[in-house]
Amino acid sequence: MSNPKRYTVTSALPYANGALHLGHLAGAYLPADIFVRYLRLLGKDVVFICGSDEHGAAITIRAKKEGISPRDIIDKYHELNKSSFERLGISFDIYHRTSDPLHYETAQGFFKTLYDQGGEFEERTSEQYYDAKFDQFLADRYITGTCPKCGHHEAYGDQCENCGSTLSPTDLIEPKSTLSGEAPVLKTTKHWFFKLDKHADWLRTWIKDGQLEGAAHHDPKAWKKHVVGQCLSWIDSEEGLQPRSITRDLDWGIPVPLNEAEGKVLYVWFDAPIGYISATRQWAMDHGKDWKDYWQSDDAELIHFIGKDNIVFHCIVFPSMLKAHGDYILPVNVPANQFLNFEGRKFSKSKGWGIEQHQYLDTFKDFPNKEDALRYALIRNMPENRDSDFKWDDFVEYHDKELADNLGNFVNRVIVLTNKYFDGVVPEVELKDSAELAELRQLTHRLQQEIEAYSFKAAVQTLMEISSFGNTYLQDVSPWKIFKEDPESEAIKRCMFICLQIVTVLSGVVAPFIPFTADKLRRLLALPVLKDGDLAQLNETLSESGIVLPIGHKIGEPELLFAKIHDRKDQSRLALIEAQKAQLEAILEAEKAEEREPLKPEITFDDFTKLDIRTGTITAAEKIKKANKLLKLTVDLGFETRTVVSGIAEFYQPEAVIGQQVLLLANLAPRKLRGVESQGMILMAEDEKGALSFVSPQKDWGNGFTVR
């Protein structure tokens, strides 16, 4: 790990037009919080920046549709998301807003510097879609239509979310305004474009080789492969990087600071990342710091935590803006996560599929350690290099088997036995060093290396390995057995002393991951809550003597660390989980109902009586050549044998259907299929996926009987 004087760590500014779900938490906020908490515990100078992204077309569209102001929307969701982050222990140093006057000043100043320098922008006059009914130009997301590349009917003016193609509004087939629903008209307007294409060469070298202006900037091997791959695919695509419009004709946003740009605002992708800078400026003013030390000093390192949908903006666009400005440092890493799905599907607010941060906190309000239970489950399943899937069954397993049975059980036994054998006082032993303490050092070192490599899932598994090591050691010695024969045994003292050192180390290294549990652990050990630099001190003491909890220290009384979900005496926690699973099952059932084939037109009883449906048994079956879907069946009707051609070959092998009882529509007019005369039709049920199943009478029913 490098050792800069300062760290500037950012998490993607969440869009303030809705509540955030667990996928957002796992993508950009929880991993950043782990890393920042770790840095603080090492005594590093770090500022952790985030805030609400409060401009853009989506907020404007929603405000117009709901008949309210954009301010009403952003105020609601800024406060909701800020509160949810705080309740989950996401420890931002500041959670700012892009609607703040300081951000307006910062963004306009940034634009003006680039404009005055010359060479970074170009002006273009073009035709842009305009909604005559709403009397306004339409931003890309205000326009939908059919994608010219895949035919998706709900593509946006900037991107088709079905095939991922980047589009322009004029590419769409049959475009329409999302405001009025009517076809927009083209109208001439002028905009400013950032010359992103001029930055392609240095960007390629910087991303691929870690070199900036001929000098080493960062280790490119430390960047995730999917981050580098996505960036290079943009830079080296057939079209290459293109100038990007940075202004829009909107009435909600930051006004472009030019006399000739009346009625135009900075495009949200340009103004939002500058929000990191304005937030740092506000934090610095609030704490007597110089914000430039964190953004414009060579002894600071910048790290962006984002989801994979923001890679291009944070690795190509924003770095180009920073370098074009000339005074700013560039990120040394952008450890973007992939996407978290929910029970096998994408999160969907409209379908109720998933759970939002505040919903989880409110629903699980009576669940002990609800914050850390969620944090831990998300870390164990973090989508660091590929998409992953949150499942309630996994949540239960991680909680009960790892947090409760492993970590909680070990801590509880150590606290209980220390109080039982030594009145809660760390026993006196002659111990210069031991194999156990050496193993503890090795595991602790590995865990911290994994955090520094942004491998948080591996790090939390190493955390459990430390706890497992303690459990195994305690079980191998079994001091409770020795105590029956020799209560004064030195082996008991040695065992409990080492176990107390392990628990103390755990109280430090769990803090970045499950901070609420760390506080509880410290209380059980009668130690003060961790403060900045304490992990560095613990590392030093562990390295020198291994004695991180001194002889004679009196610990606290036993207290259960984690109450299990599967508990025979208390079903309340399991009931919460089952209720969540039941909600999802209800959604699936409702979707199945919606997918049922609609009823055919009404018929009379006389119509039905014309159908002659008979019971029968398949006695022979074979495939029909050059017909992948067809089987030739011989059906015994009791009084005669029929040949039937049936389209079931995709679902049944010939040998598997011999002996199958069926219902046959016997008075259907014969029809030749692939040269074989079919003398009836087998009745099959078809599900929503097109799978087929035989409709048949009860087992051993006779052949030739009528279905009435």
Side-chain angles (χ1 to χ4, degrees):
M1 184 178 189
S2 59
N3 190 31
K5 194 171 182 179
R6 300 174 191 85
Y7 290 86
T8 305
V9 179
T10 74
S11 281
L13 305 186
Y15 208 42
N17 73 329
L20 301 177
H21 56 62
L22 302 192
H24 297 121
L25 185 61
Y29 308 105
L30 182 53
D33 187 65
I34 295 167
F35 189 68
V36 166
R37 284 179 178 274
Y38 171 71
L39 293 178
R40 292 186 187 128
L41 286 170
L42 290 181
K44 304 295 185 182
D45 184 349
V46 55
V47 59
F48 185 16
I49 300 298
C50 196
S52 294
D53 178 0
E54 299 181 328
H55 297 127
I59 289 173
T60 314
I61 292 172
R62 181 165 182 174
K64 286 182 178 292
K65 287 183 176 180
E66 295 182 12
I68 58 179
S69 72
R71 172 65 63 180
D72 292 330
I73 293 174
I74 64 173
D75 285 351
K76 174 183 177 180
Y77 289 109
H78 171 78
E79 293 302 328
L80 177 64
N81 292 331
K82 182 173 183 284
S83 171
S84 298
F85 281 137
E86 290 171 352
R87 293 166 67 190
L88 286 164
I90 307 300
S91 57
F92 300 124
D93 287 300
I94 184 171
Y95 193 74
H96 205 230
R97 312 183 62 166
T98 60
S99 63
D100 188 272
L102 181 62
H103 176 65
Y104 274 56
E105 174 194 315
T106 305
Q108 288 178 325
F110 198 104
F111 172 91
K112 201 66 168 63
T113 296
L114 294 183
Y115 182 84
D116 291 343
Q117 286 175 178
E120 296 296 338
F121 297 145
E122 65 180 53
E123 298 178 20
R124 293 185 184 178
T125 298
S126 62
E127 289 187 318
Q128 184 177 328
Y129 279 127
Y130 180 85
D131 189 322
K133 185 174 181 179
F134 272 75
D135 190 26
Q136 74 171 68
F137 282 98
L138 297 171
D140 297 347
R141 286 262 156 173
Y142 281 70
I143 309 162
T144 60
T146 299
C147 174
K149 298 184 180 180
C150 74
H152 181 57
H153 293 301
E154 296 181 357
Y156 289 102
D158 59 349
Q159 184 181 35
C160 175
E161 295 188 349
N162 183 58
C163 68
S165 298
T166 299
L167 302 172
S168 294
T170 52
D171 294 334
L172 295 175
I173 301 169
E174 297 182 350
K176 65 178 180 180
S177 167
T178 59
L179 297 182
S180 65
E182 298 179 359
V185 297
L186 288 171
K187 191 173 180 179
T188 301
T189 186
K190 181 172 74 172
H191 284 293
W192 283 259
F193 285 68
F194 177 56
K195 295 181 181 179
L196 189 61
D197 52 319
K198 68 178 283 188
H199 297 278
D201 290 341
W202 74 261
L203 278 168
R204 183 184 299 104
T205 302
W206 176 66
I207 292 169
K208 187 176 181 180
D209 304 323
Q211 298 282 319
L212 184 64
E213 296 180 349
H217 179 266
H218 63 265
D219 179 5
K221 294 180 181 178
W223 283 41
K224 295 183 179 183
K225 291 182 179 179
H226 66 268
V227 174
V228 173
Q230 187 176 141
C231 292
L232 294 180
S233 71
W234 270 65
I235 296 170
D236 296 329
S237 68
E238 185 175 338
E239 296 178 351
L241 298 182
Q242 297 294 317
R244 294 180 69 93
S245 172
I246 61 165
T247 60
R248 282 292 184 267
D249 292 293
L250 287 173
D251 54 6
W252 174 248
I254 299 175
V256 177
L258 299 174
N259 293 331
E260 63 271 34
E262 185 178 351
K264 300 184 189 297
V265 299
L266 296 176
Y267 193 14
V268 67
W269 71 256
F270 184 88
D271 108 69
I274 298 172
Y276 298 137
I277 301 170
S278 58
T280 310
R281 289 184 65 192
Q282 184 63 61
W283 169 81
M285 287 189 289
D286 294 342
H287 293 84
K289 302 273 190 176
D290 185 350
W291 71 271
K292 292 182 179 180
D293 289 341
Y294 297 84
W295 280 95
Q296 297 184 347
S297 174
D298 290 338
D299 54 14
E301 285 193 353
L302 173 64
I303 303 159
H304 296 306
F305 284 86
I306 57 170
K308 66 179 178 182
D309 53 337
N310 266 320
I311 288 173
V312 169
F313 291 108
H314 287 76
C315 298
I316 293 179
V317 179
F318 190 43
S320 296
M321 291 164 55
L322 295 173
K323 192 170 186 300
H325 190 285
D327 298 323
Y328 288 88
I329 58 174
L330 302 189
V332 297
N333 210 319
V334 185
N337 274 358
Q338 307 249 24
F339 290 153
L340 179 75
N341 293 321
F342 189 84
E343 293 283 359
R345 302 168 60 173
K346 292 181 179 180
F347 284 83
S348 173
K349 183 178 180 65
S350 62
K351 295 180 180 179
W353 194 263
I355 187 168
E356 292 165 348
Q357 293 177 171
H358 73 286
Q359 288 177 329
Y360 170 84
L361 290 164
D362 294 341
T363 303
F364 284 69
K365 62 181 184 298
D366 297 323
F367 190 102
N369 288 12
K370 59 183 174 295
E371 302 89 356
D372 282 350
L374 178 62
R375 287 174 66 111
Y376 186 81
L378 291 175
I379 298 166
R380 281 289 277 111
N381 205 18
M382 192 167 279
E384 292 176 335
N385 295 298
R386 61 182 60 88
D387 290 355
S388 61
D389 194 15
F390 178 93
K391 296 180 183 293
W392 285 117
D393 286 344
D394 291 342
F395 177 94
V396 173
E397 183 169 344
Y398 294 144
H399 182 276
D400 281 8
K401 292 186 177 180
E402 299 183 17
L403 290 176
D405 286 345
N406 187 348
L407 177 61
N409 185 50
F410 173 60
V411 170
N412 187 61
R413 290 202 294 172
V414 172
I415 301 298
V416 167
L417 293 174
T418 302
N419 276 279
K420 179 178 179 180
Y421 300 151
F422 308 112
D423 293 324
V425 176
V426 180
E428 184 174 354
V429 295
E430 290 290 332
L431 186 71
K432 291 184 179 179
D433 207 344
S434 70
E436 293 81 15
L437 291 180
E439 177 72 6
L440 180 60
R441 291 190 194 100
Q442 187 272 327
L443 288 172
T444 304
H445 179 65
R446 188 216 302 169
L447 181 150
Q448 295 182 51
Q449 284 184 313
E450 288 163 341
I451 292 178
E452 292 170 11
Y454 311 104
S455 298
F456 306 120
K457 184 159 59 174
V460 86
Q461 289 174 289
T462 302
L463 169 66
M464 283 298 144
E465 197 174 330
I466 295 173
S467 181
S468 295
F469 165 66
N471 265 315
T472 301
Y473 170 68
L474 181 60
Q475 193 65 38
D476 287 346
V477 177
S478 295
W480 49 90
K481 294 180 180 179
I482 301 173
F483 187 81
K484 294 177 182 178
E485 303 294 331
D486 183 9
E488 300 300 321
S489 169
E490 288 297 317
I492 298 176
K493 294 179 182 178
R494 184 180 186 278
C495 176
M496 298 315 302
F497 177 84
I498 289 175
C499 285
L500 285 164
Q501 306 311 309
I502 297 172
V503 173
T504 304
V505 168
L506 284 169
S507 77
V509 296
V510 302
F513 309 100
I514 44 177
F516 300 92
T517 301
D519 291 348
K520 194 171 182 179
L521 258 176
R522 301 292 285 186
R523 186 171 70 252
L524 290 174
L525 292 167
L527 292 172
V529 172
L530 292 165
K531 63 182 185 302
D532 293 355
D534 277 358
L535 183 57
Q537 182 60 54
L538 184 145
N539 285 338
E540 184 178 342
T541 305
L542 185 62
S543 176
E544 291 177 353
S545 67
I547 303 175
V548 292
L549 192 67
I551 293 168
H553 176 84
K554 184 174 176 59
I555 65 172
E557 294 296 319
E559 183 181 343
L560 189 64
L561 206 58
F562 294 98
K564 293 185 72 170
I565 295 171
H566 283 291
D567 186 335
R568 293 179 183 177
K569 296 180 180 179
D570 184 354
Q571 298 288 312
S572 62
R573 293 174 291 281
L574 181 59
L576 288 170
I577 301 297
E578 294 301 328
Q580 291 299 312
K581 294 165 72 174
Q583 287 180 18
L584 298 179
E585 188 62 33
I587 293 171
L588 292 177
E589 288 301 318
E591 288 181 353
K592 287 180 182 178
E594 292 175 0
E595 292 169 359
R596 299 289 189 268
E597 186 174 330
L599 292 173
K600 291 181 171 64
E602 185 179 274
I603 64 172
T604 66
F605 180 74
D606 289 340
D607 292 328
F608 174 73
T609 59
K610 294 177 182 177
L611 302 176
D612 190 346
I613 303 173
R614 301 293 182 112
T615 60
T617 301
I618 299 174
T619 58
E622 62 182 89
K623 289 186 176 181
I624 293 180
K625 293 181 180 180
K626 299 181 180 179
N628 296 331
K629 296 182 179 181
L630 301 179
L631 291 185
K632 177 183 176 183
L633 307 176
T634 301
V635 181
D636 180 8
L637 292 180
F639 56 87
E640 68 180 46
T641 299
R642 296 282 188 95
T643 298
V644 177
V645 177
S646 183
I648 62 173
E650 288 183 289
F651 304 97
Y652 295 96
Q653 293 298 316
E655 59 272 14
V657 301
I658 296 174
Q660 171 69 48
Q661 290 188 296
V662 298
L663 298 181
L664 177 75
L665 180 57
N667 63 338
L668 184 67
R671 179 186 177 192
K672 272 199 173 185
L673 297 170
R674 294 293 178 126
V676 178
E677 184 176 77
S678 182
Q679 301 164 332
M681 179 182 291
I682 301 290
L683 270 60
M684 307 292 291
E686 182 178 14
D687 68 12
E688 73 278 3
K689 296 180 180 178
L692 299 179
S693 174
F694 285 102
V695 178
S696 59
Q698 294 180 11
K699 188 177 181 181
D700 298 327
W701 196 270
N703 296 331
F705 294 106
T706 303
V707 175
R708 300 185 185 279

